[in-house]
Amino acid sequence: MMDNRISTVSLRDLLNFDAKTVPLVVPSSFLLEFSAPELPVLAPHEQMALALLAKILSPRTILEFGTGQGFSSYLWAENTSDSAQIVTLDLDPAAQSDYTAKILRGDETVGRVYRESGHSEKVRQVLVCPGGSIPESLSNLKGNVDLIFVDGDHSYDGVAHDTELAFEFAHEDTVFLWHDFYRFPSYIAEGPGRRGVYPYLNELADRGSLKLHHIAGTYLVAGCKNWPGTPKGEVLVPGAHGDGEARQRILRLGDF
Ligand SMILES: C[S@@+](CC[C@H](N)C(=O)[O-])C[C@H]1O[C@@H](n2cnc3c(N)ncnc32)[C@H](O)[C@@H]1O
C-alpha cells in the first residue's frame, strides 16, 4: 500500500479566515433518518466543514459528482448566496446499480433531501452515463466553476475520470473537494475495480498541479492551485489508525 503524502490541516489554516462565528445550516434528516449506530453518508464534522467552506468561499458556481440522496447539495443550497448555482450529477436510472440503490436507502430518485430545501431552485440535477462526457448543455460552465465536489464513483478509474473531467470546468482559483479519502485495507482492495480515492489523490498530489490537503477530522481532501492560507500540516494516514467505534462504523459503510 502506498505511503500517504497528503498532509492534514485545519480549515482555519487552509482558508486563513479570522475566527468570526457564522451560522451554518445542516439537514435535520441526518438525525431523523439515521439510527445512532449508523454513520451517515457525511459524518457530522464533514457536514459542518462543507457548510463552512460554502460560507467562506462563497462560490458562484458549484459542480458536484454524486448526488445520492442529496445531503451535500442541500448543504450547498443552504450555505451559499441566493445567486449561487449548483449543478449535481448522478447516474441515469438505466445506468444505476446496487450501489446507487444502497445509497438511496429506499428513495425512488436521487436528490430527495436537497429538494426539501427552501433553496432548491439553485440546484440543477443532471443525469449522466458512467464514463461519459459532461452533457453539451453544461458547456457554458467550462472554466467557470468555483467549487467542485467529487463524490460519485469511488473506483480508481471512476475518481480519475471525474477529476480529469472536472479540470475542464475549473479556473485558476477553483477549490476541489473529494470525499472518502481513507486507507482501510479492506476498502482499498488492489486489482480491477479497487476503491481509488486514496491512491488516485496521492498520485495527483505528486503531479503538483494542485496543492492537496486532507481536512482534519474528516475524510475530505481539498485541492487548489493557491490556498489563501499557508497550510503546513502533518502527514497522517486517514483511516489507518486506531480501532475505535468510529473506525468500525466506517469499515461497515466501506463494505459497499
Ligand atoms: C456517496 S453517494 C453521493 C452522496 C452525496 N454527495 C450526498 O452527500 O448525499 C455517490 C453517488 O454517486 C453516484 N454515481 C456513481 N457513479 C457516478 C458517476 N459516474 N457519475 C455521477 N454519479 C455517480 C451514485 O449513483 C451515488 O448516488
Side-chain angles (χ1 to χ4, degrees):
M1 183 83 63
M2 64 163 61
D3 289 339
N4 184 34
R5 275 96 68 198
I6 298 176
S7 67
T8 296
V9 301
S10 69
L11 270 185
R12 185 187 52 240
D13 290 346
L14 198 59
L15 301 177
N16 197 24
F17 66 96
D18 56 15
K20 190 157 76 88
T21 298
V22 291
L24 304 175
V25 180
V26 298
S28 59
S29 31
F30 275 122
L31 284 175
L32 300 174
E33 298 177 15
F34 288 80
S35 66
E38 282 179 289
L39 192 77
V41 66
L42 290 169
H45 198 84
E46 294 175 334
Q47 296 165 40
M48 290 191 286
L50 294 182
L52 184 63
L53 279 157
K55 283 272 179 186
I56 301 285
L57 298 171
S58 196
R60 286 161 303 155
T61 314
I62 296 178
L63 176 63
E64 170 178 88
F65 294 79
T67 313
Q69 285 189 288
F71 291 108
S72 44
S73 296
Y74 183 100
L75 290 165
W76 305 134
E78 291 284 339
N79 294 285
T80 50
S81 67
D82 289 346
S83 59
Q85 290 179 49
I86 299 133
V87 175
T88 182
L89 308 177
D90 209 290
L91 294 174
D92 187 276
Q96 290 175 4
S97 65
D98 291 351
Y99 171 63
T100 306
K102 204 158 195 168
I103 289 288
L104 291 186
R105 298 163 57 89
D107 289 354
E108 286 190 4
T109 57
V110 296
R112 190 248 316 161
V113 173
Y114 83 69
R115 279 191 230 101
E116 292 169 358
S117 158
H119 301 283
S120 61
E121 77 286 349
K122 292 196 263 176
V123 184
R124 177 169 166 199
Q125 180 74 67
V126 176
L127 299 174
V128 297
C129 289
S133 54
I134 298 269
E136 203 46 45
S137 60
L138 297 180
S139 56
N140 63 321
L141 294 184
K142 287 195 176 174
N144 288 322
V145 178
D146 301 317
L147 180 65
I148 295 176
F149 183 40
V150 180
D151 189 25
D153 177 349
H154 293 72
S155 69
Y156 181 90
D157 291 344
V159 70
H161 173 268
D162 291 346
T163 304
E164 301 297 330
L165 260 187
F167 285 140
E168 295 178 25
F169 289 81
H171 53 70
E172 283 298 295
D173 300 316
T174 298
V175 169
F176 291 75
L177 295 166
W178 295 263
H179 192 223
D180 297 297
F181 177 72
Y182 34 64
R183 206 187 80 164
F184 303 125
S186 61
Y187 190 80
I188 312 285
E190 295 298 334
R194 67 189 169 137
R195 273 70 169 249
V197 182
Y198 178 88
Y200 176 75
L201 290 184
N202 268 287
E203 289 164 19
L204 184 61
D206 289 347
R207 271 156 58 181
S209 51
L210 289 176
K211 292 175 188 148
L212 298 189
H213 294 284
H214 166 242
I215 300 175
T218 73
Y219 291 110
L220 295 162
V221 164
C224 188
K225 282 191 176 160
N226 294 299
W227 286 107
T230 45
K232 292 190 183 65
E234 191 186 349
V235 177
L236 305 169
V237 186
H241 296 297
D243 200 23
E245 194 186 338
R247 181 176 182 222
Q248 292 307 319
R249 289 183 198 176
I250 296 216
L251 282 172
R252 279 212 306 280
L253 275 183
D255 283 345
F256 56 68

